Amino acid sequence: DAKTTQPPSMDCAEGRAANLPCNHSTISGNEYVYWYRQIHSQGPQYIIHGLKNNETNEMASLIITEDRKSSTLILPHATLRDTAVYYCIVRGSGTYKYIFGTGTRLKVLA
Amino acid sequence: DVKVTQSSRYLVKRTGEKVFLECVQDMDHENMFWYRQDPGLGLRLIYFSYDVKMKEKGDIPEGYSVSREKKERFSLILESASTNQTSMYLCASRESGDQPQHFGDGTRLSIL
């Protein structure tokens, strides 16, 4: 499975868009990108996933570059409740291993 | 919404006890997982089950066993609890294929 690299921490002002980057330069053609977040003392919460195309749901948007070597999770209007650790994971199709790295600790500031 | 329920949020047990952690999912998912999460080490996979009565070892299966007698329930067993098994334990489930895993809220287990 491809490794991912994320910045250890980021701050974002409440109401602004939070853009969380992830580098996965060794990703292969059949590997999906998944994003999760974990609020303290809770289990990871699924946010969004994609293979090649950009994706959007009620929580966030996922932008994957054309070469698929990086992606960005966008929370369009961050709130204080979005303060969490965000994990970017790449998992190969047909495998069951999700490798969670250390993630990005996002702090949304009032 | 997918619901993955772990039987206890907090549990305290003694060294040498046999400990059972239970997990139930309500979405008829084929695959279920047990992880532990420790500071600085991230989530590590203990066991995975791809169907009833089927299991595979993850990265750190030593000292653990699992049971999946029914599709909705996946149990993690600590055969003889030790202090180094003090951790947060997380259960997850998913449909097969490329669908995402969904996690429970975790059980914080302390072994004294």
Side-chain angles (χ1 to χ4, degrees):
Chain A
D1 291 336
K3 285 188 177 177
T4 61
T5 305
Q6 298 177 254
S9 64
M10 292 180 64
D11 291 341
C12 177
E14 189 178 21
R16 304 298 292 268
N19 296 280
L20 292 95
C22 180
N23 183 288
H24 31 79
S25 57
T26 59
I27 195 169
S28 59
N30 64 352
E31 291 185 315
Y32 281 74
V33 180
Y34 297 81
W35 282 84
Y36 286 78
R37 71 181 183 186
Q38 189 171 25
I39 297 167
H40 185 61
S41 297
Q42 296 182 18
Q45 177 189 22
Y46 165 73
I47 301 172
I48 200 167
H49 74 289
L51 181 63
K52 294 181 186 176
N53 300 321
N54 298 338
E55 303 286 345
T56 295
N57 63 20
E58 65 279 3
M59 288 182 70
S61 295
L62 173 61
I63 309 297
I64 302 174
T65 58
E66 196 169 335
D67 63 8
R68 304 208 324 119
K69 292 180 186 282
S70 65
S71 60
T72 301
L73 179 75
I74 302 171
L75 308 177
H77 305 287
T79 71
L80 298 178
R81 285 185 289 185
D82 292 323
T83 292
V85 178
Y86 287 76
Y87 297 98
C88 167
I89 299 148
V90 173
R91 183 189 70 86
S93 180
T95 73
Y96 58 83
K97 282 199 173 183
Y98 291 66
I99 301 174
F100 283 74
T102 52
T104 295
R105 188 172 296 276
L106 175 70
K107 186 183 288 186
V108 180
L109 306 173
Chain B
D1 276 357
V2 177
K3 185 76 174 168
V4 178
T5 303
Q6 294 186 231
S7 53
S8 306
R9 290 299 309 273
Y10 301 93
L11 204 54
V12 180
K13 296 291 182 180
R14 299 228 171 257
T15 304
E17 280 193 67
K18 191 168 186 176
V19 180
F20 294 85
L21 302 183
E22 306 288 342
C23 176
V24 176
Q25 51 95 2
D26 67 354
M27 289 300 293
D28 202 37
H29 284 170
E30 292 185 11
N31 304 160
M32 296 188 74
F33 305 78
W34 275 107
Y35 294 87
R36 64 179 282 178
Q37 184 174 27
D38 301 287
L41 296 176
L43 273 79
R44 293 179 290 167
L45 181 65
I46 304 171
Y47 266 99
F48 159 65
S49 169
Y50 51 93
D51 206 344
V52 175
K53 298 188 188 294
M54 309 304 287
K55 62 186 179 185
E56 282 195 25
K57 292 179 181 179
D59 297 319
I60 51 163
E62 297 78 19
Y64 303 94
S65 62
V66 290
S67 172
R68 192 154 179 218
E69 297 297 316
K70 293 185 178 181
K71 196 172 187 180
E72 68 270 19
R73 186 179 298 271
F74 192 33
S75 302
L76 179 70
I77 303 150
L78 285 66
E79 298 291 344
S80 176
S82 64
T83 54
N84 63 11
Q85 292 178 309
T86 291
S87 187
M88 167 76 104
Y89 288 87
L90 290 157
C91 175
S93 74
R94 68 157 196 204
E95 296 178 33
S96 60
D98 297 312
Q99 293 305 304
Q101 293 186 359
H102 296 273
F103 286 82
D105 277 338
T107 295
R108 193 167 291 280
L109 175 65
S110 295
I111 307 295
L112 305 179

PDB file of all heavy atoms in Angstrom, chain A residues 57-91:
ATOM      1  N   ASN A  57     -19.455  15.214  -0.866  1.00  0.00           N
ATOM      2  CA  ASN A  57     -20.636  14.761  -0.140  1.00  0.00           C
ATOM      3  C   ASN A  57     -21.039  15.851   0.842  1.00  0.00           C
ATOM      4  O   ASN A  57     -20.525  16.981   0.782  1.00  0.00           O
ATOM      5  CB  ASN A  57     -20.401  13.400   0.516  1.00  0.00           C
ATOM      6  CG  ASN A  57     -19.308  13.431   1.572  1.00  0.00           C
ATOM      7  OD1 ASN A  57     -18.955  14.494   2.100  1.00  0.00           O
ATOM      8  ND2 ASN A  57     -18.762  12.264   1.872  1.00  0.00           N
ATOM      9  N   GLU A  58     -21.929  15.511   1.750  1.00  0.00           N
ATOM     10  CA  GLU A  58     -22.458  16.534   2.661  1.00  0.00           C
ATOM     11  C   GLU A  58     -21.420  17.021   3.654  1.00  0.00           C
ATOM     12  O   GLU A  58     -21.603  18.066   4.276  1.00  0.00           O
ATOM     13  CB  GLU A  58     -23.692  16.007   3.395  1.00  0.00           C
ATOM     14  CG  GLU A  58     -23.432  14.849   4.327  1.00  0.00           C
ATOM     15  CD  GLU A  58     -23.361  13.500   3.629  1.00  0.00           C
ATOM     16  OE1 GLU A  58     -23.457  13.464   2.374  1.00  0.00           O
ATOM     17  OE2 GLU A  58     -23.203  12.491   4.337  1.00  0.00           O
ATOM     18  N   MET A  59     -20.347  16.277   3.813  1.00  0.00           N
ATOM     19  CA  MET A  59     -19.333  16.680   4.792  1.00  0.00           C
ATOM     20  C   MET A  59     -18.188  17.460   4.165  1.00  0.00           C
ATOM     21  O   MET A  59     -17.671  18.401   4.784  1.00  0.00           O
ATOM     22  CB  MET A  59     -18.741  15.441   5.480  1.00  0.00           C
ATOM     23  CG  MET A  59     -19.673  14.762   6.460  1.00  0.00           C
ATOM     24  SD  MET A  59     -18.868  13.355   7.244  1.00  0.00           S
ATOM     25  CE  MET A  59     -17.673  14.171   8.280  1.00  0.00           C
ATOM     26  N   ALA A  60     -17.757  17.048   2.976  1.00  0.00           N
ATOM     27  CA  ALA A  60     -16.512  17.579   2.450  1.00  0.00           C
ATOM     28  C   ALA A  60     -16.399  17.336   0.948  1.00  0.00           C
ATOM     29  O   ALA A  60     -17.226  16.651   0.350  1.00  0.00           O
ATOM     30  CB  ALA A  60     -15.337  16.895   3.154  1.00  0.00           C
ATOM     31  N   SER A  61     -15.326  17.907   0.385  1.00  0.00           N
ATOM     32  CA  SER A  61     -14.952  17.624  -1.004  1.00  0.00           C
ATOM     33  C   SER A  61     -13.556  17.039  -1.020  1.00  0.00           C
ATOM     34  O   SER A  61     -12.715  17.392  -0.181  1.00  0.00           O
ATOM     35  CB  SER A  61     -14.976  18.900  -1.843  1.00  0.00           C
ATOM     36  OG  SER A  61     -16.287  19.411  -1.943  1.00  0.00           O
ATOM     37  N   LEU A  62     -13.327  16.142  -1.969  1.00  0.00           N
ATOM     38  CA  LEU A  62     -12.020  15.528  -2.147  1.00  0.00           C
ATOM     39  C   LEU A  62     -11.531  15.864  -3.542  1.00  0.00           C
ATOM     40  O   LEU A  62     -12.212  15.556  -4.533  1.00  0.00           O
ATOM     41  CB  LEU A  62     -12.116  14.011  -1.968  1.00  0.00           C
ATOM     42  CG  LEU A  62     -10.872  13.189  -2.290  1.00  0.00           C
ATOM     43  CD1 LEU A  62      -9.701  13.592  -1.400  1.00  0.00           C
ATOM     44  CD2 LEU A  62     -11.168  11.696  -2.141  1.00  0.00           C
ATOM     45  N   ILE A  63     -10.372  16.527  -3.584  1.00  0.00           N
ATOM     46  CA  ILE A  63      -9.767  16.887  -4.859  1.00  0.00           C
ATOM     47  C   ILE A  63      -8.519  16.027  -5.044  1.00  0.00           C
ATOM     48  O   ILE A  63      -7.614  16.072  -4.204  1.00  0.00           O
ATOM     49  CB  ILE A  63      -9.369  18.378  -4.906  1.00  0.00           C
ATOM     50  CG1 ILE A  63     -10.550  19.270  -4.494  1.00  0.00           C
ATOM     51  CG2 ILE A  63      -8.833  18.752  -6.280  1.00  0.00           C
ATOM     52  CD1 ILE A  63     -11.744  19.172  -5.409  1.00  0.00           C
ATOM     53  N   ILE A  64      -8.488  15.248  -6.108  1.00  0.00           N
ATOM     54  CA  ILE A  64      -7.341  14.386  -6.408  1.00  0.00           C
ATOM     55  C   ILE A  64      -6.668  14.932  -7.652  1.00  0.00           C
ATOM     56  O   ILE A  64      -7.331  15.182  -8.671  1.00  0.00           O
ATOM     57  CB  ILE A  64      -7.796  12.926  -6.642  1.00  0.00           C
ATOM     58  CG1 ILE A  64      -8.547  12.403  -5.413  1.00  0.00           C
ATOM     59  CG2 ILE A  64      -6.599  12.032  -6.953  1.00  0.00           C
ATOM     60  CD1 ILE A  64      -9.168  11.022  -5.593  1.00  0.00           C
ATOM     61  N   THR A  65      -5.349  15.143  -7.586  1.00  0.00           N
ATOM     62  CA  THR A  65      -4.638  15.682  -8.747  1.00  0.00           C
ATOM     63  C   THR A  65      -4.677  14.683  -9.901  1.00  0.00           C
ATOM     64  O   THR A  65      -4.880  13.482  -9.702  1.00  0.00           O
ATOM     65  CB  THR A  65      -3.184  16.007  -8.389  1.00  0.00           C
ATOM     66  OG1 THR A  65      -2.534  14.819  -7.909  1.00  0.00           O
ATOM     67  CG2 THR A  65      -3.110  17.099  -7.344  1.00  0.00           C
ATOM     68  N   GLU A  66      -4.438  15.209 -11.080  1.00  0.00           N
ATOM     69  CA  GLU A  66      -4.561  14.377 -12.273  1.00  0.00           C
ATOM     70  C   GLU A  66      -3.582  13.200 -12.255  1.00  0.00           C
ATOM     71  O   GLU A  66      -3.910  12.102 -12.699  1.00  0.00           O
ATOM     72  CB  GLU A  66      -4.321  15.227 -13.526  1.00  0.00           C
ATOM     73  CG  GLU A  66      -4.792  14.564 -14.804  1.00  0.00           C
ATOM     74  CD  GLU A  66      -4.800  15.520 -15.983  1.00  0.00           C
ATOM     75  OE1 GLU A  66      -4.903  16.748 -15.767  1.00  0.00           O
ATOM     76  OE2 GLU A  66      -4.701  15.033 -17.114  1.00  0.00           O
ATOM     77  N   ASP A  67      -2.375  13.429 -11.722  1.00  0.00           N
ATOM     78  CA  ASP A  67      -1.407  12.339 -11.641  1.00  0.00           C
ATOM     79  C   ASP A  67      -1.640  11.447 -10.419  1.00  0.00           C
ATOM     80  O   ASP A  67      -0.918  10.468 -10.220  1.00  0.00           O
ATOM     81  CB  ASP A  67       0.033  12.866 -11.652  1.00  0.00           C
ATOM     82  CG  ASP A  67       0.344  13.747 -10.446  1.00  0.00           C
ATOM     83  OD1 ASP A  67      -0.486  13.841  -9.530  1.00  0.00           O
ATOM     84  OD2 ASP A  67       1.423  14.352 -10.422  1.00  0.00           O
ATOM     85  N   ARG A  68      -2.612  11.814  -9.606  1.00  0.00           N
ATOM     86  CA  ARG A  68      -3.024  11.073  -8.404  1.00  0.00           C
ATOM     87  C   ARG A  68      -1.958  11.003  -7.324  1.00  0.00           C
ATOM     88  O   ARG A  68      -2.081  10.241  -6.371  1.00  0.00           O
ATOM     89  CB  ARG A  68      -3.496   9.667  -8.761  1.00  0.00           C
ATOM     90  CG  ARG A  68      -4.592   9.641  -9.772  1.00  0.00           C
ATOM     91  CD  ARG A  68      -5.541   8.476  -9.713  1.00  0.00           C
ATOM     92  NE  ARG A  68      -4.914   7.230  -9.338  1.00  0.00           N
ATOM     93  CZ  ARG A  68      -5.241   6.537  -8.250  1.00  0.00           C
ATOM     94  NH1 ARG A  68      -6.173   6.961  -7.437  1.00  0.00           N
ATOM     95  NH2 ARG A  68      -4.641   5.397  -7.994  1.00  0.00           N
ATOM     96  N   LYS A  69      -0.937  11.805  -7.412  1.00  0.00           N
ATOM     97  CA  LYS A  69       0.130  11.751  -6.408  1.00  0.00           C
ATOM     98  C   LYS A  69      -0.209  12.548  -5.161  1.00  0.00           C
ATOM     99  O   LYS A  69       0.521  12.490  -4.156  1.00  0.00           O
ATOM    100  CB  LYS A  69       1.437  12.245  -7.018  1.00  0.00           C
ATOM    101  CG  LYS A  69       1.992  11.302  -8.092  1.00  0.00           C
ATOM    102  CD  LYS A  69       3.286  11.840  -8.657  1.00  0.00           C
ATOM    103  CE  LYS A  69       3.756  10.985  -9.824  1.00  0.00           C
ATOM    104  NZ  LYS A  69       4.385   9.761  -9.420  1.00  0.00           N
ATOM    105  N   SER A  70      -1.246  13.343  -5.196  1.00  0.00           N
ATOM    106  CA  SER A  70      -1.646  14.077  -3.993  1.00  0.00           C
ATOM    107  C   SER A  70      -3.146  14.344  -4.035  1.00  0.00           C
ATOM    108  O   SER A  70      -3.782  14.231  -5.096  1.00  0.00           O
ATOM    109  CB  SER A  70      -0.877  15.384  -3.860  1.00  0.00           C
ATOM    110  OG  SER A  70      -1.212  16.258  -4.919  1.00  0.00           O
ATOM    111  N   SER A  71      -3.669  14.684  -2.884  1.00  0.00           N
ATOM    112  CA  SER A  71      -5.092  15.025  -2.792  1.00  0.00           C
ATOM    113  C   SER A  71      -5.280  16.077  -1.702  1.00  0.00           C
ATOM    114  O   SER A  71      -4.380  16.310  -0.871  1.00  0.00           O
ATOM    115  CB  SER A  71      -5.937  13.783  -2.489  1.00  0.00           C
ATOM    116  OG  SER A  71      -5.573  13.192  -1.266  1.00  0.00           O
ATOM    117  N   THR A  72      -6.437  16.712  -1.730  1.00  0.00           N
ATOM    118  CA  THR A  72      -6.790  17.720  -0.736  1.00  0.00           C
ATOM    119  C   THR A  72      -8.212  17.486  -0.257  1.00  0.00           C
ATOM    120  O   THR A  72      -9.116  17.309  -1.089  1.00  0.00           O
ATOM    121  CB  THR A  72      -6.691  19.149  -1.311  1.00  0.00           C
ATOM    122  OG1 THR A  72      -5.360  19.371  -1.767  1.00  0.00           O
ATOM    123  CG2 THR A  72      -7.048  20.188  -0.258  1.00  0.00           C
ATOM    124  N   LEU A  73      -8.370  17.445   1.033  1.00  0.00           N
ATOM    125  CA  LEU A  73      -9.704  17.390   1.630  1.00  0.00           C
ATOM    126  C   LEU A  73     -10.124  18.810   1.937  1.00  0.00           C
ATOM    127  O   LEU A  73      -9.371  19.559   2.572  1.00  0.00           O
ATOM    128  CB  LEU A  73      -9.686  16.565   2.917  1.00  0.00           C
ATOM    129  CG  LEU A  73     -11.019  16.469   3.638  1.00  0.00           C
ATOM    130  CD1 LEU A  73     -11.957  15.506   2.896  1.00  0.00           C
ATOM    131  CD2 LEU A  73     -10.847  16.024   5.081  1.00  0.00           C
ATOM    132  N   ILE A  74     -11.311  19.189   1.510  1.00  0.00           N
ATOM    133  CA  ILE A  74     -11.811  20.536   1.755  1.00  0.00           C
ATOM    134  C   ILE A  74     -13.056  20.470   2.623  1.00  0.00           C
ATOM    135  O   ILE A  74     -14.050  19.830   2.261  1.00  0.00           O
ATOM    136  CB  ILE A  74     -12.129  21.267   0.431  1.00  0.00           C
ATOM    137  CG1 ILE A  74     -10.884  21.336  -0.448  1.00  0.00           C
ATOM    138  CG2 ILE A  74     -12.680  22.664   0.712  1.00  0.00           C
ATOM    139  CD1 ILE A  74     -11.142  21.851  -1.851  1.00  0.00           C
ATOM    140  N   LEU A  75     -12.976  21.132   3.779  1.00  0.00           N
ATOM    141  CA  LEU A  75     -14.164  21.356   4.601  1.00  0.00           C
ATOM    142  C   LEU A  75     -14.607  22.778   4.290  1.00  0.00           C
ATOM    143  O   LEU A  75     -13.915  23.727   4.658  1.00  0.00           O
ATOM    144  CB  LEU A  75     -13.835  21.214   6.086  1.00  0.00           C
ATOM    145  CG  LEU A  75     -13.114  19.931   6.517  1.00  0.00           C
ATOM    146  CD1 LEU A  75     -12.795  19.972   8.010  1.00  0.00           C
ATOM    147  CD2 LEU A  75     -13.945  18.716   6.179  1.00  0.00           C
ATOM    148  N   PRO A  76     -15.731  22.977   3.612  1.00  0.00           N
ATOM    149  CA  PRO A  76     -16.019  24.293   3.026  1.00  0.00           C
ATOM    150  C   PRO A  76     -16.232  25.416   4.040  1.00  0.00           C
ATOM    151  O   PRO A  76     -15.849  26.557   3.778  1.00  0.00           O
ATOM    152  CB  PRO A  76     -17.275  24.044   2.190  1.00  0.00           C
ATOM    153  CG  PRO A  76     -17.846  22.770   2.694  1.00  0.00           C
ATOM    154  CD  PRO A  76     -16.728  21.973   3.254  1.00  0.00           C
ATOM    155  N   HIS A  77     -16.834  25.124   5.168  1.00  0.00           N
ATOM    156  CA  HIS A  77     -17.087  26.150   6.186  1.00  0.00           C
ATOM    157  C   HIS A  77     -16.791  25.527   7.543  1.00  0.00           C
ATOM    158  O   HIS A  77     -17.682  24.976   8.194  1.00  0.00           O
ATOM    159  CB  HIS A  77     -18.541  26.635   6.124  1.00  0.00           C
ATOM    160  CG  HIS A  77     -18.964  27.127   4.777  1.00  0.00           C
ATOM    161  ND1 HIS A  77     -18.542  28.333   4.249  1.00  0.00           N
ATOM    162  CD2 HIS A  77     -19.746  26.567   3.829  1.00  0.00           C
ATOM    163  CE1 HIS A  77     -19.060  28.484   3.046  1.00  0.00           C
ATOM    164  NE2 HIS A  77     -19.794  27.428   2.761  1.00  0.00           N
ATOM    165  N   ALA A  78     -15.547  25.602   7.943  1.00  0.00           N
ATOM    166  CA  ALA A  78     -15.133  24.892   9.151  1.00  0.00           C
ATOM    167  C   ALA A  78     -15.834  25.444  10.395  1.00  0.00           C
ATOM    168  O   ALA A  78     -16.027  26.666  10.537  1.00  0.00           O
ATOM    169  CB  ALA A  78     -13.624  24.996   9.319  1.00  0.00           C
ATOM    170  N   THR A  79     -16.220  24.554  11.291  1.00  0.00           N
ATOM    171  CA  THR A  79     -16.783  24.939  12.580  1.00  0.00           C
ATOM    172  C   THR A  79     -15.888  24.394  13.693  1.00  0.00           C
ATOM    173  O   THR A  79     -15.008  23.559  13.457  1.00  0.00           O
ATOM    174  CB  THR A  79     -18.204  24.386  12.768  1.00  0.00           C
ATOM    175  OG1 THR A  79     -18.122  22.961  12.954  1.00  0.00           O
ATOM    176  CG2 THR A  79     -19.080  24.693  11.564  1.00  0.00           C
ATOM    177  N   LEU A  80     -16.141  24.851  14.907  1.00  0.00           N
ATOM    178  CA  LEU A  80     -15.332  24.398  16.043  1.00  0.00           C
ATOM    179  C   LEU A  80     -15.405  22.884  16.192  1.00  0.00           C
ATOM    180  O   LEU A  80     -14.453  22.235  16.637  1.00  0.00           O
ATOM    181  CB  LEU A  80     -15.799  25.082  17.321  1.00  0.00           C
ATOM    182  CG  LEU A  80     -15.656  26.616  17.345  1.00  0.00           C
ATOM    183  CD1 LEU A  80     -16.200  27.177  18.659  1.00  0.00           C
ATOM    184  CD2 LEU A  80     -14.222  27.038  17.128  1.00  0.00           C
ATOM    185  N   ARG A  81     -16.539  22.291  15.810  1.00  0.00           N
ATOM    186  CA  ARG A  81     -16.705  20.848  15.927  1.00  0.00           C
ATOM    187  C   ARG A  81     -15.890  20.063  14.907  1.00  0.00           C
ATOM    188  O   ARG A  81     -15.827  18.834  14.984  1.00  0.00           O
ATOM    189  CB  ARG A  81     -18.181  20.479  15.807  1.00  0.00           C
ATOM    190  CG  ARG A  81     -18.973  20.812  17.054  1.00  0.00           C
ATOM    191  CD  ARG A  81     -20.392  20.329  16.962  1.00  0.00           C
ATOM    192  NE  ARG A  81     -21.171  21.111  16.001  1.00  0.00           N
ATOM    193  CZ  ARG A  81     -22.465  20.950  15.794  1.00  0.00           C
ATOM    194  NH1 ARG A  81     -23.139  20.025  16.440  1.00  0.00           N
ATOM    195  NH2 ARG A  81     -23.108  21.698  14.933  1.00  0.00           N
ATOM    196  N   ASP A  82     -15.277  20.755  13.952  1.00  0.00           N
ATOM    197  CA  ASP A  82     -14.401  20.077  12.990  1.00  0.00           C
ATOM    198  C   ASP A  82     -12.980  19.916  13.539  1.00  0.00           C
ATOM    199  O   ASP A  82     -12.128  19.323  12.869  1.00  0.00           O
ATOM    200  CB  ASP A  82     -14.356  20.858  11.676  1.00  0.00           C
ATOM    201  CG  ASP A  82     -15.688  20.812  10.939  1.00  0.00           C
ATOM    202  OD1 ASP A  82     -16.355  19.749  10.973  1.00  0.00           O
ATOM    203  OD2 ASP A  82     -16.068  21.842  10.337  1.00  0.00           O
ATOM    204  N   THR A  83     -12.703  20.440  14.708  1.00  0.00           N
ATOM    205  CA  THR A  83     -11.398  20.239  15.336  1.00  0.00           C
ATOM    206  C   THR A  83     -11.209  18.748  15.610  1.00  0.00           C
ATOM    207  O   THR A  83     -12.014  18.124  16.303  1.00  0.00           O
ATOM    208  CB  THR A  83     -11.303  21.032  16.651  1.00  0.00           C
ATOM    209  OG1 THR A  83     -11.285  22.432  16.342  1.00  0.00           O
ATOM    210  CG2 THR A  83     -10.041  20.673  17.422  1.00  0.00           C
ATOM    211  N   ALA A  84     -10.165  18.165  15.007  1.00  0.00           N
ATOM    212  CA  ALA A  84      -9.967  16.722  15.063  1.00  0.00           C
ATOM    213  C   ALA A  84      -8.631  16.381  14.414  1.00  0.00           C
ATOM    214  O   ALA A  84      -7.963  17.241  13.838  1.00  0.00           O
ATOM    215  CB  ALA A  84     -11.096  15.978  14.320  1.00  0.00           C
ATOM    216  N   VAL A  85      -8.259  15.113  14.483  1.00  0.00           N
ATOM    217  CA  VAL A  85      -7.125  14.600  13.701  1.00  0.00           C
ATOM    218  C   VAL A  85      -7.687  13.997  12.424  1.00  0.00           C
ATOM    219  O   VAL A  85      -8.604  13.169  12.486  1.00  0.00           O
ATOM    220  CB  VAL A  85      -6.320  13.559  14.492  1.00  0.00           C
ATOM    221  CG1 VAL A  85      -5.183  13.018  13.630  1.00  0.00           C
ATOM    222  CG2 VAL A  85      -5.788  14.154  15.783  1.00  0.00           C
ATOM    223  N   TYR A  86      -7.144  14.415  11.289  1.00  0.00           N
ATOM    224  CA  TYR A  86      -7.620  13.963   9.985  1.00  0.00           C
ATOM    225  C   TYR A  86      -6.589  13.017   9.372  1.00  0.00           C
ATOM    226  O   TYR A  86      -5.408  13.342   9.285  1.00  0.00           O
ATOM    227  CB  TYR A  86      -7.873  15.164   9.066  1.00  0.00           C
ATOM    228  CG  TYR A  86      -9.104  15.929   9.460  1.00  0.00           C
ATOM    229  CD1 TYR A  86      -9.095  16.774  10.559  1.00  0.00           C
ATOM    230  CD2 TYR A  86     -10.297  15.771   8.765  1.00  0.00           C
ATOM    231  CE1 TYR A  86     -10.242  17.451  10.958  1.00  0.00           C
ATOM    232  CE2 TYR A  86     -11.446  16.451   9.134  1.00  0.00           C
ATOM    233  CZ  TYR A  86     -11.409  17.281  10.235  1.00  0.00           C
ATOM    234  OH  TYR A  86     -12.556  17.943  10.626  1.00  0.00           O
ATOM    235  N   TYR A  87      -7.059  11.869   8.942  1.00  0.00           N
ATOM    236  CA  TYR A  87      -6.192  10.847   8.370  1.00  0.00           C
ATOM    237  C   TYR A  87      -6.497  10.660   6.888  1.00  0.00           C
ATOM    238  O   TYR A  87      -7.661  10.509   6.500  1.00  0.00           O
ATOM    239  CB  TYR A  87      -6.402   9.502   9.067  1.00  0.00           C
ATOM    240  CG  TYR A  87      -6.055   9.468  10.524  1.00  0.00           C
ATOM    241  CD1 TYR A  87      -7.039   9.598  11.500  1.00  0.00           C
ATOM    242  CD2 TYR A  87      -4.736   9.281  10.933  1.00  0.00           C
ATOM    243  CE1 TYR A  87      -6.720   9.551  12.842  1.00  0.00           C
ATOM    244  CE2 TYR A  87      -4.414   9.223  12.281  1.00  0.00           C
ATOM    245  CZ  TYR A  87      -5.415   9.362  13.227  1.00  0.00           C
ATOM    246  OH  TYR A  87      -5.088   9.314  14.561  1.00  0.00           O
ATOM    247  N   CYS A  88      -5.429  10.617   6.110  1.00  0.00           N
ATOM    248  CA  CYS A  88      -5.507  10.296   4.691  1.00  0.00           C
ATOM    249  C   CYS A  88      -4.933   8.892   4.527  1.00  0.00           C
ATOM    250  O   CYS A  88      -3.833   8.616   5.023  1.00  0.00           O
ATOM    251  CB  CYS A  88      -4.691  11.319   3.910  1.00  0.00           C
ATOM    252  SG  CYS A  88      -4.351  10.902   2.205  1.00  0.00           S
ATOM    253  N   ILE A  89      -5.668   8.014   3.884  1.00  0.00           N
ATOM    254  CA  ILE A  89      -5.258   6.609   3.785  1.00  0.00           C
ATOM    255  C   ILE A  89      -5.379   6.164   2.334  1.00  0.00           C
ATOM    256  O   ILE A  89      -6.346   6.504   1.646  1.00  0.00           O
ATOM    257  CB  ILE A  89      -6.181   5.728   4.644  1.00  0.00           C
ATOM    258  CG1 ILE A  89      -6.094   6.131   6.107  1.00  0.00           C
ATOM    259  CG2 ILE A  89      -5.849   4.251   4.483  1.00  0.00           C
ATOM    260  CD1 ILE A  89      -7.384   5.929   6.838  1.00  0.00           C
ATOM    261  N   VAL A  90      -4.385   5.417   1.913  1.00  0.00           N
ATOM    262  CA  VAL A  90      -4.441   4.820   0.582  1.00  0.00           C
ATOM    263  C   VAL A  90      -4.506   3.308   0.755  1.00  0.00           C
ATOM    264  O   VAL A  90      -3.699   2.731   1.482  1.00  0.00           O
ATOM    265  CB  VAL A  90      -3.212   5.213  -0.257  1.00  0.00           C
ATOM    266  CG1 VAL A  90      -3.190   4.459  -1.569  1.00  0.00           C
ATOM    267  CG2 VAL A  90      -3.226   6.710  -0.522  1.00  0.00           C
ATOM    268  N   ARG A  91      -5.481   2.705   0.129  1.00  0.00           N
ATOM    269  CA  ARG A  91      -5.660   1.257   0.268  1.00  0.00           C
ATOM    270  C   ARG A  91      -5.841   0.626  -1.099  1.00  0.00           C
ATOM    271  O   ARG A  91      -6.617   1.110  -1.907  1.00  0.00           O
ATOM    272  CB  ARG A  91      -6.889   0.955   1.119  1.00  0.00           C
ATOM    273  CG  ARG A  91      -7.092  -0.530   1.367  1.00  0.00           C
ATOM    274  CD  ARG A  91      -8.431  -0.783   2.018  1.00  0.00           C
ATOM    275  NE  ARG A  91      -9.531  -0.534   1.103  1.00  0.00           N
ATOM    276  CZ  ARG A  91     -10.016  -1.431   0.255  1.00  0.00           C
ATOM    277  NH1 ARG A  91      -9.505  -2.643   0.196  1.00  0.00           N
ATOM    278  NH2 ARG A  91     -11.026  -1.124  -0.522  1.00  0.00           N
TER     279      ARG A  91
END
